[in-house]
Amino acid sequence: EVQLVESGGGLVQPGGSLRLSCTASGFMFEVYDMSWVRQVPGQRFEWVAYILSSGAATAYANSVKGRFTISKDNATNTLSLQMNNLTTDDTAVYYCDIGRRTDYNTGWAPRGQGTKVTVSS
């Protein structure tokens, strides 16, 4: 059974940092590209970041570029998202996903429970 378990969220002040983790199991993590997706409660899902299966290439949404870093540890089946210089606009529930979709708001639901990030002073 495919499982994705997100963790690392919490309350942080604007300008602060958090590191999210996603522990994967039930599939060959090393051969899959991975993504992070977020959702402000009641709003649309937003793709945040993507990483190639080997970790050799990454891509970011313009809203997080230069502040967030996605990484992938194939030895421990762990996907990470280092988030720096957080703003209140980053407040959301964050999910990891296998691969990358062009549209996360049609026919997609997160596999995991997500991890909640709240940026507030």
Side-chain angles (χ1 to χ4, degrees):
E1 179 189 1
V2 172
Q3 285 194 324
L4 299 172
V5 180
E6 301 93 347
S7 62
L11 173 64
V12 62
Q13 292 186 339
S17 298
L18 278 176
R19 186 176 182 86
L20 307 184
S21 294
C22 167
T23 301
S25 61
F27 64 103
M28 291 183 67
F29 181 76
E30 63 269 25
V31 304
Y32 283 89
D33 306 339
M34 298 289 293
S35 291
W36 283 98
V37 180
R38 68 186 181 185
Q39 184 186 34
V40 175
Q43 298 190 19
R44 297 167 60 86
F45 288 104
E46 177 190 13
W47 168 78
V48 173
Y50 157 88
I51 188 166
L52 198 65
S53 58
S54 64
T58 57
Y60 298 91
N62 287 335
S63 57
V64 307
K65 196 174 295 183
R67 301 186 298 120
F68 289 13
T69 302
I70 187 172
S71 60
K72 189 172 186 277
D73 186 339
N74 289 331
T76 62
N77 285 11
T78 302
L79 179 74
S80 298
L81 186 69
Q82 177 66 41
M83 306 187 298
N84 298 328
N85 195 20
L86 286 159
T87 74
T88 55
D89 288 343
D90 297 316
T91 295
V93 179
Y94 285 72
Y95 303 93
C96 58
D97 183 42
I98 302 170
R100 177 182 175 181
R101 296 174 64 93
T102 55
D103 180 7
Y104 278 93
N105 292 285
T106 302
W108 181 79
R111 294 179 184 271
Q113 81 289 349
T115 187
K116 185 176 181 179
V117 173
T118 303
V119 184
S120 175
S121 55

